[in-house]
């Protein structure tokens, strides 16, 4: 993932005491975290007016990373503020990961937003792992070709080709977020809550997502409604939260299985290979495929972790 900074944004422009005019606000970062509710913003504004801006704004060069609401309030009322530089950032993805970790630990962040942030973190980690693995494969192939088709020998426990390749790409965080359970723990959620948030993220209409963010619709109801076609979700949303809840109830009721009736003579004599046999076989195949994918994912995770360990030893 690449992100091109605007011309006025400079991570290397680290002023000791920047003014408001020196600080660059990137809309992409300001919108990365859901905005405060009107009540939350009003409470923050009262606090700053009464006590001043006590917490320092976090900068990356002249780019504002954390404290967008505080910065806006200070500008609005002409109040002073303090800043601090985070010198660990090397690229925009580092900023995103830092912002995610900061907000995952804040009590004011809703369950839905914590789940969304954790899923974003998983995506970034997966992309970095893929990039690290690709860099190592490419470097080994290049070294082998340069050595006449033979694997180049090395001394010690660390392959310098691998270490150099890993040093050229973004570092993979140590967080093990390979399972839904691990991801849920990072977001302070249950695995079932995270599963619902995934379903909402993937399938819910914007109106349904908005209802969840506002607190009008529960995660459970939103996940159920998101199984409907987008047009039906939008139509239900026009009726407000109550209609969305009613739509969720209709979906749940439709999924309830009626009591099984005693089979007729003709049904009892029917070929057992017909009817439910095919779906059961399909389900078994799907479960087998999931097991295979999970095993492959674990193998890849172990490989990348081993490569990280090698790089750490080299450093």
């Amino acid at each position: 993932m690449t992100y091109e900074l605007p011309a006025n944004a400079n991570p290397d422009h680290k002023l000791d005491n920047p003014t408001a005019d020196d600080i660059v606000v990137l809309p992409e970062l300001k919108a990365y975290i859901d905005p405060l509710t009107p009540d939350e913003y009003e409470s923050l504004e009262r606090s700053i007016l009464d006590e001043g801006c006590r917490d320092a704004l976090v900068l990356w060069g002249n780019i504002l990373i954390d404290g967008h609401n505080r910065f806006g309030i200070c500008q609005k009322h002409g109040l002073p503020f303090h800043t601090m530089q985070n010198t660990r950032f090397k690229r925009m993805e580092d900023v995103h990961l830092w912002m995610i970790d900061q907000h995952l630990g804040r009590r004011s962040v809703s369950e839905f937003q914590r789940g969304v942030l954790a899923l974003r973190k998983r995506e970034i980690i997966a992309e970095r792992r893929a990039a690290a693995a690709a860099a190592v494969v490419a470097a080994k192939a290049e070294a082998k070709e340069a050595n006449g088709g033979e694997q180049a020998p090395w001394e010690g426990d660390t392959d310098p080709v691998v270490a150099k390749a890993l040093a050229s790409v973004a570092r993979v965080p140590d967080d093990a977020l390979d399972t839904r359970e691990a991801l849920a723990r990072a977001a302070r959620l249950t695995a079932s809550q995270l599963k619902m948030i995934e379903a909402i993220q993937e399938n819910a209409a914007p109106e349904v997502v908005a209802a969840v963010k506002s607190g009008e619709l529960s995660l459970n109801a939103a996940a159920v409604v998101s199984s409907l076609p987008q047009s039906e979700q939008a139509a239900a949303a026009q009726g407000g939260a109550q209609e969305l809840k009613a739509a969720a109830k209709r979906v749940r009721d439709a999924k309830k299985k009626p009591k099984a009736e005693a089979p007729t003579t003709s049904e009892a004599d029917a070929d057992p290979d017909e009817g439910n046999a095919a779906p059961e076989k399909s389900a078994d195949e799907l479960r087998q495929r999931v097991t295979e994918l999970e095993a492959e994912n674990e193998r890849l995770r172990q490989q990348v972790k081993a490569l990280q360990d090698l790089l750490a030893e080299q450093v």
Side-chain angles (χ1 to χ4, degrees), residues 282-296:
S282 176
D284 290 338
E285 291 174 348
L286 287 173
R287 282 193 289 269
Q288 178 63 29
R289 181 58 179 154
V290 169
T291 300
E292 293 171 355
L293 290 173
E294 289 177 343
E296 178 63 20

Side-chain angles (χ1 to χ4, degrees), residues 249-262:
K249 185 177 186 304
R250 289 194 294 271
V251 173
R252 292 192 189 100
D253 291 342
K255 290 182 177 180
K256 290 180 180 178
K257 296 180 180 180
K259 290 184 178 180
E261 297 179 358

Side-chain angles (χ1 to χ4, degrees), residues 201-254:
Q201 280 285 94
E202 293 174 3
N203 306 311
E207 297 88 347
V208 175
V209 174
V212 176
K213 288 182 177 180
S214 66
E216 295 179 338
L217 197 64
S218 68
L219 290 178
N220 189 299
V224 173
V225 172
S226 67
S227 66
L228 294 170
Q230 292 264 330
S231 58
E232 293 185 30
Q233 296 182 46
Q238 290 181 354
Q242 291 304 317
E243 180 55 32
L244 284 171
K245 293 175 184 177
K249 185 177 186 304
R250 289 194 294 271
V251 173
R252 292 192 189 100
D253 291 342

Side-chain angles (χ1 to χ4, degrees), residues 9-136:
N10 185 358
D12 297 321
H13 190 52
K14 299 177 172 65
L15 297 176
D16 292 333
N17 295 295
T19 65
D21 292 336
D22 296 321
I23 295 175
V24 175
V25 176
L26 300 183
E28 184 259 359
L29 290 182
K30 188 175 182 180
Y32 199 74
I33 306 296
D34 283 349
L36 298 177
T37 65
D39 288 344
E40 289 171 339
Y41 186 89
E42 183 181 350
S43 176
L44 177 62
E45 186 173 31
R46 284 199 309 267
S47 173
I48 292 177
L49 288 174
D50 291 342
E51 304 174 20
C53 187
R54 295 179 299 175
D55 297 326
L57 310 179
V58 179
L59 302 178
W60 180 32
N62 66 348
I63 304 169
L64 181 60
I65 302 302
D66 186 61
H68 290 85
N69 291 302
R70 284 174 277 134
F71 180 59
I73 292 171
C74 288
Q75 280 189 300
K76 177 182 176 181
H77 298 283
L79 298 174
F81 55 83
H82 304 285
T83 64
M84 62 171 289
Q85 288 284 340
N86 190 318
T87 58
R88 292 176 296 174
F89 300 142
K90 298 184 183 301
R91 51 184 60 83
M92 187 56 72
E93 283 181 355
D94 295 335
V95 172
H96 291 170
L97 287 171
W98 184 87
M99 293 176 71
I100 288 171
D101 288 339
Q102 290 294 306
H103 284 78
L104 282 177
R106 291 179 178 172
R107 291 176 294 178
S108 59
V109 179
S110 68
E111 291 178 344
F112 178 73
Q113 190 176 357
R114 291 202 305 273
V116 169
L117 291 173
L119 292 171
R120 285 180 186 171
K121 183 172 184 177
R122 182 177 67 179
E123 291 176 3
I124 295 174
I125 291 176
E127 290 173 356
R128 288 194 172 186
R129 281 178 175 164
V136 169

Side-chain angles (χ1 to χ4, degrees), residues 134-169:
V136 169
V137 170
K140 279 184 168 289
E142 183 179 351
K144 186 175 181 180
E145 182 178 355
N147 200 41
E150 298 292 332
Q151 188 67 46
W154 72 88
E155 296 181 359
D157 297 329
T158 303
D159 184 347
V161 173
V162 172
K164 184 178 179 181
L166 291 178
S168 68
V169 296

